[in-house]
Amino acid sequence: MNILEYSFFQNALIGSVLASIVCGLVGTYIVTRRLTFISGGITHASFGGIGIGVFLGINPIFSAMIFSVLSAFGIQWLSRRGNVREDSAIAVFWAFGMSIGILFCFLAPGFVPDLPSFLFGSILTIESGNLWLLATLCLITLFLFTAYYRTIVSTAFDPEFARSQHLPVSLIEYTMMALIAMTIVSTLRMVGIVLAMSLLTIPQMTANLFTYNFGRIAAYSILIGCIDCIMGLALSYWLNVPSGASIIFVSIVIYCLCKAIKYVLKQLNKSETSQH
């Protein structure tokens, strides 16, 4: 039987495309604004929401979503209004989220069989509920980037100049922080807490090798993200290895190949120029 005929693999492919769109757009803002460390803090803080969800017997994704958004707002507020260095604010919520998650997971009655999938991801176990969450987030992200594209770009590149132009920078910053948090949580089933940050940065770094334009980086990131996910899924199926790790491994290999190709082309251009 063809693997494409299995519903779980079809869900994985749909999830890959939806996640690539969301991560391509949100990740471009993260890389442009240099918020990679913040996204790492939110990623690990989300474990606190998972632990609370497990303890209370509710959907861990739902509790992680709320906890992550609040953590993102907390990091933003502390670093901007609380006179706390940004890296210190991130460290506080990073440690707090992980400790809360571990405590509540141990306090939860019974065995927690689903915990490894949140830590390391398993896109092959993605369900219809996760797909609906990704699809909803995809529509919200597309709407925000379409309606407020210029404001988002201005805030990403130069927030101080954007403020001088009376643009709603603070609103955009908090909105994007919430979007980053929701994107991270929505992709936990795919790659897990350990690798979620990579999905938001590596395709963008690859795209950034070929262009510095915000819109093009976002478009290329979506395409590269789809390729990474599909090839990672294929590798996971052939080698019988965790899908989340294989997706990130493929994305890093593709980045290294593109980096090498760009370097070779640059050297060839230099040699041609020197000959002329």
Side-chain angles (χ1 to χ4, degrees), residues 210-247:
F210 304 103
T211 181
Y212 296 102
N213 180 273
F214 188 95
R216 288 176 184 170
I217 292 174
Y220 293 168
S221 298
I222 293 171
L223 178 60
I224 293 168
C226 286
I227 294 171
D228 291 343
C229 289
I230 293 171
M231 290 183 67
L233 275 174
L235 184 66
S236 172
Y237 173 71
W238 289 329
L239 300 181
N240 193 26
V241 294
S243 54
S246 62
I247 289 171

Side-chain angles (χ1 to χ4, degrees), residues 43-44 118-120 191-198:
T43 300
H44 288 81
F118 290 110
L119 291 173
F120 304 105
V191 292
I193 291 172
V194 178
L195 302 170
M197 187 172 64
S198 303

